[in-house]
Amino acid sequence: MMKSGFWWVMIICIGIGFAGTVYAADDTGQEQTYSLGEIVVTGQHREVTTASNIYTIKAQDISDMGATTLTDVLELVPGVSIRVGGQGTPRVDIRGFRTRHVVLLLNGIPINDTYDGQFDPTVFPVDQIAAVKVITGGGSVLYGPGGNGGVINIITKKGTAGIQGQVGGEYGTEDAWLAKALVSGGTEKLDFLLSANRESKNAFPLSGDFKPTAEEDGGARENSDLKRKSLFGNMGYTFSESTRMGLTLNWYQGENGVPPTIGSDKEDPFYKNPKYVRIDDMEGLSSRLAFSHDLNNAFAFRGWAYRNQLDVLENRYDDATYSTQDAKGAYKDDTQTAITGVSGQLSYASSGWMGITLGLTSEDHHWEASGFEMVSSSGGGGGGGSSTTSVSKSRIESDENIDIRSIELEFELTPRNFYGFVLGIGQHFMSGNGVESDNDTAFTLGGHYDLSEETRLTASLTRKIRFPSLQQLYDPQNGNPDLGTEKTLQYEIGVKQQLPSDSSLSVSAYYSDVKDFIEKIGDSPYSNLEDYLFKGVDVSIETRYVENLVLRAAYSYLDSEDRSPGADRQELQYRPKNKYMLEGTYTFASGLMIHGDVTHVADQYFYTDTTPMLKRKLNDYTVVNAKISQRLLSDRMTLYVRAENVLDSNFEQSYDLPQAGRSVYGGVEVKF
């Protein structure tokens, strides 16, 4: 495992810190956006973002809702569905697409795991985040392949003149605690930001309405402990008005349990045997060196070199004691995955009404695994010729990689302020060991038209592609080297309406036709399913009519269908048809802030692995969260109490995997 990573990041962070501490503090300094984290470089009007469906959650919104990880930030975004399944990790699905179809960027670093294409949103603390931009569908071709469902772009804060910072901590249910610190600053040419977090949870509590089973007796959830620590740093240096360089480093390490299923009725056709799994060690390290240079008033260049590495030690044990690995199915899996890449973008902007960007990217995706699995083996019997069955240890050794190359060209035209267009095209190439090389085309065509100063219409047609992941190609049990590339054609129309009384409304409707969707059904290997369809509507409304009060409401409708020949499923599994969200924040003149949000998820189904499939509806559920805070000492100190699942709802996001009941936390933050 990557034990030296902590010290490497720490040494660099200390060096950056000493570089800033020689300057006096500036009380007026405020964190700004770390602009070198932006991937999309386009013309002045950025038509590609105007024509796309983008939700931006800013640092103040994140603080008000009491979010501690990226998972909390994304809960209330229309079109986004958070689901915890058998792997115990929250998965972020967008408009019916799975997490592996969502590109996650941290200051431009691709964070998706190279093995399965997914990511863990709980490993990203929020204190250093300036904004999270969620692009549902559409979007720029410059993001590269893989974002069939959308893109999540985390943009961090940037230090300003002098030294500023904050420290904080909280304590709550089941002895959960969190400690955090952040310092930022800079000079006329240098800026830096450092952040450190550490948290521990013994378990998460189950609802008081949970009914005990043979596998779960209630109270603290079995095998749901978590320990995590992280360091983050970014630094920028301005050589001149036209030339800038930046460095981003992110490190985290931890361990956690994976709660098993709790079913006790083995006659239930939906019953699944519990798996006793722990992530006994996990360590991630990502880095990115960025460079930007304005060649003249029209041309600009940006380049990045980056690496994202994740080491995971996962063990499956024989039983709930988590002590032995002798029975069939037990395993030890020590894996390392890494993305190493370089990317460059050359842009041209003409008088602010036209922009052209050329992008080139080269990435190496690597996966290495070692360990063992306990499997059945047969041996010869006695003179009667009978055989005996025993369990033996089978070694696991894998070392695979794929290379992905991309070239993109994006053209934006805004001849008048009230309308504009974007046209982008990308060609992507994939090659790997023992698999047939592939290449395919992505494009986006979109635009906007302002009927008035209050009404904007948008439309887009987007084709996106996603190459198979390393797991889907090379997994020893379920991999398929003959898999083809997934293809998505999405149509979207929308309206953005400014309403009276400082209010706004956004409505978007989409239709996504998906070909060759890669999925694993039952015990079969991964395969390309011929035809999926996702269609739906996302609605959001916001009002600030009452001073110091912000109200937001949203609704998402999703209709999913497997239209492949011979398909048994009317709706696709674990894709909620209806999701309702309501959020409100009121800040008193005294510094008291009250926040609350409600999420209701309804109408989602799941299936058995049998033939024919059996279908069942998951119970609808409602979750209420709240936070109360008070600013003191001229706003330099904040005391707060926050509660998750205030109503103590007993709910599941996947069958037989109950989620946390009511949890309450108290904390303090001090700025300097």
Side-chain angles (χ1 to χ4, degrees):
M1 303 296 288
M2 225 172 9
K3 298 303 182 185
S4 62
F6 175 89
W7 298 111
W8 178 41
V9 176
M10 179 63 80
I11 290 170
I12 294 176
C13 289
I14 291 173
I16 298 173
F18 278 129
T21 54
V22 298
Y23 307 102
D26 180 359
D27 290 340
T28 63
Q30 299 292 329
E31 289 105 347
Q32 298 177 351
T33 298
Y34 186 74
S35 59
L36 285 171
E38 288 280 3
I39 283 288
V40 180
V41 182
T42 53
Q44 179 179 337
H45 292 289
R46 298 201 172 191
E47 180 58 34
V48 68
T49 59
T50 303
S52 301
N53 198 35
I54 300 179
Y55 299 95
T56 301
I57 307 98
K58 298 182 180 180
Q60 188 61 53
D61 302 320
I62 294 172
S63 175
D64 289 346
M65 70 175 66
T68 59
T69 69
L70 182 62
T71 309
D72 305 322
V73 175
L74 299 173
E75 285 277 10
L76 300 175
V77 176
V80 174
S81 175
I82 306 294
R83 181 179 68 90
V84 178
Q87 293 178 317
T89 301
R91 295 306 183 193
V92 182
D93 301 341
I94 296 182
R95 290 182 169 181
F97 290 93
R98 294 310 194 197
T99 308
R100 62 181 178 271
H101 301 99
V102 178
V103 171
L104 176 65
L105 301 169
L106 173 64
N107 281 354
I109 307 170
I111 301 298
N112 297 66
D113 188 301
T114 59
Y115 177 56
D116 60 12
Q118 304 192 97
F119 56 85
D120 183 351
T122 67
V123 302
F124 301 102
V126 301
D127 300 278
Q128 66 265 24
I129 295 178
V132 177
K133 295 184 178 181
V134 182
I135 303 173
T136 54
S140 171
V141 296
L142 300 174
Y143 287 116
N148 299 44
V151 176
I152 300 173
N153 194 6
I154 303 174
I155 302 171
T156 62
K157 298 174 182 176
K158 168 189 171 184
T160 55
I163 299 294
Q164 312 87 36
Q166 67 181 48
V167 294
E170 69 174 36
Y171 181 82
T173 305
E174 298 294 342
D175 291 327
W177 60 267
L178 167 68
K180 56 186 180 180
L182 182 147
V183 62
S184 64
T187 66
E188 181 180 354
K189 292 184 175 294
L190 173 72
D191 61 80
F192 73 93
L193 182 143
L194 305 172
S195 175
N197 284 67
R198 187 160 187 167
E199 66 173 320
S200 175
K201 296 181 180 180
N202 290 339
F204 67 75
L206 290 171
S207 167
D209 293 331
F210 175 79
K211 296 180 179 179
T213 69
E215 289 290 336
E216 176 58 67
D217 59 3
R221 180 72 162 103
E222 298 293 334
N223 198 39
S224 64
D225 60 296
L226 178 148
K227 292 181 180 179
R228 198 72 50 79
K229 52 187 176 183
S230 65
L231 290 171
F232 173 86
N234 65 40
M235 178 180 68
Y237 189 83
T238 302
F239 294 93
S240 66
E241 291 185 359
S242 60
T243 306
R244 180 171 168 78
M245 181 175 287
L247 175 67
T248 297
L249 293 168
N250 186 57
W251 174 88
Y252 59 88
Q253 191 272 333
E255 61 179 283
N256 61 273
V258 180
T261 53
I262 53 91
S264 56
D265 182 6
K266 295 186 178 181
E267 301 302 319
D268 182 353
F270 293 87
Y271 173 86
K272 291 184 181 296
N273 291 320
K275 298 178 180 179
Y276 306 102
V277 177
R278 289 194 59 82
I279 306 300
D280 286 316
D281 196 7
M282 171 179 62
E283 187 170 11
L285 177 63
S286 56
S287 58
R288 177 175 181 263
L289 183 66
F291 174 81
S292 68
H293 179 68
D294 295 333
L295 303 176
N296 53 40
N297 292 331
F299 286 93
F301 173 78
R302 283 190 174 191
W304 304 271
Y306 51 86
R307 180 177 173 84
N308 172 34
Q309 180 174 319
L310 176 63
D311 294 355
V312 177
L313 176 61
E314 179 178 313
N315 284 290
R316 179 176 173 180
Y317 296 91
D318 299 330
D319 52 40
T321 64
Y322 298 92
S323 58
T324 60
Q325 294 175 288
D326 300 320
K328 178 184 175 182
Y331 62 77
K332 174 183 177 181
D333 191 8
D334 193 349
T335 65
Q336 179 186 95
T337 62
I339 298 177
T340 305
V342 60
S343 179
Q345 293 180 356
L346 178 65
S347 63
Y348 171 79
S350 174
S351 303
W353 63 272
M354 182 183 73
I356 303 174
T357 302
L358 172 67
L360 296 169
T361 301
S362 175
E363 288 185 346
D364 174 73
H365 295 223
H366 181 254
W367 166 56
E368 186 175 342
S370 62
F372 66 83
E373 181 179 8
M374 304 303 293
V375 297
S376 296
S377 59
S378 297
S386 61
S387 63
T388 59
T389 300
S390 61
V391 176
S392 63
K393 183 179 293 186
S394 175
R395 300 297 305 177
I396 298 174
E397 296 291 341
S398 299
D399 191 349
E400 306 289 351
N401 72 281
I402 58 175
D403 295 319
I404 296 178
R405 310 285 184 260
S406 299
I407 179 170
E408 304 100 0
L409 184 65
E410 194 159 79
F411 175 78
E412 297 180 285
L413 182 65
T414 312
R416 295 290 186 271
N417 289 334
F418 61 89
Y419 71 93
F421 308 95
V422 58
L423 171 63
I425 186 167
Q427 190 70 23
H428 308 294
F429 307 84
M430 186 272 286
S431 60
N433 301 326
V435 297
E436 185 175 351
S437 299
D438 198 4
N439 71 88
D440 214 324
T441 304
F443 69 79
T444 182
L445 173 63
H448 84 277
Y449 184 85
D450 293 340
L451 292 176
S452 66
E453 292 184 358
E454 294 79 25
T455 306
R456 168 167 292 177
L457 303 179
T458 62
S460 66
L461 170 62
T462 306
R463 187 181 195 267
K464 294 190 175 182
I465 65 105
R466 174 186 169 273
F467 295 122
S469 69
L470 286 160
Q471 179 189 36
Q472 293 167 340
L473 291 170
Y474 298 115
D475 182 82
Q477 283 76 40
N478 302 298
N480 181 359
D482 297 324
L483 288 173
T485 300
E486 294 178 334
K487 310 169 187 68
T488 301
L489 191 64
Q490 179 167 292
Y491 308 83
E492 182 171 353
I493 57 173
V495 58
K496 299 174 183 178
Q497 179 71 48
Q498 292 296 318
L499 303 173
S501 305
D502 199 12
S503 303
S504 61
L505 170 69
S506 174
V507 180
S508 60
Y510 59 90
Y511 182 100
S512 299
D513 190 8
V514 187
K515 303 298 185 184
D516 296 325
F517 193 94
I518 299 173
E519 196 158 39
K520 178 182 177 297
I521 298 178
D523 296 327
S524 302
Y526 289 100
S527 60
N528 290 106
L529 301 183
E530 188 170 321
D531 196 358
Y532 275 14
L533 174 65
F534 303 123
K535 55 185 177 181
V537 178
D538 294 326
V539 182
S540 62
I541 186 169
E542 177 180 311
T543 181
R544 298 173 183 264
Y545 173 67
V546 177
E547 186 178 3
N548 298 326
L549 175 65
V550 180
L551 288 175
R552 299 186 182 96
Y555 167 71
S556 292
Y557 170 80
L558 169 65
D559 181 48
S560 62
E561 183 182 352
D562 184 353
R563 301 191 300 179
S564 305
D568 294 331
R569 299 178 290 182
Q570 295 82 17
E571 299 91 0
L572 292 172
Q573 183 166 254
Y574 294 125
R575 271 102 168 171
K577 181 168 288 188
N578 296 286
K579 182 180 178 182
Y580 308 83
M581 295 151 284
L582 179 63
E583 177 185 12
T585 304
Y586 188 82
T587 305
F588 295 86
S590 63
L592 178 68
M593 188 278 298
I594 300 176
H595 172 89
D597 59 73
V598 182
T599 303
H600 179 73
V601 178
D603 305 314
Q604 58 179 324
Y605 300 86
F606 57 100
Y607 299 85
T608 62
D609 295 333
T610 59
T611 302
M613 290 181 172
L614 301 179
K615 173 183 174 182
R616 185 177 293 178
K617 181 176 180 292
L618 197 68
N619 291 335
D620 302 343
Y621 64 88
T622 301
V623 175
V624 178
N625 303 313
K627 179 183 177 181
I628 300 175
S629 67
Q630 176 65 59
R631 299 195 305 269
L632 302 168
L633 303 179
S634 300
D635 295 344
R636 291 186 177 274
M637 175 182 287
T638 301
L639 301 176
Y640 66 86
V641 176
R642 64 182 184 89
E644 299 175 352
N645 195 1
V646 174
L647 302 181
D648 198 31
S649 297
N650 181 28
F651 71 100
E652 296 176 338
Q653 296 170 326
S654 296
Y655 182 62
D656 261 356
L657 290 169
Q659 297 305 298
R662 184 188 299 114
S663 301
V664 181
Y665 307 89
V668 59
E669 295 177 349
V670 179
K671 296 181 179 180
F672 59 88

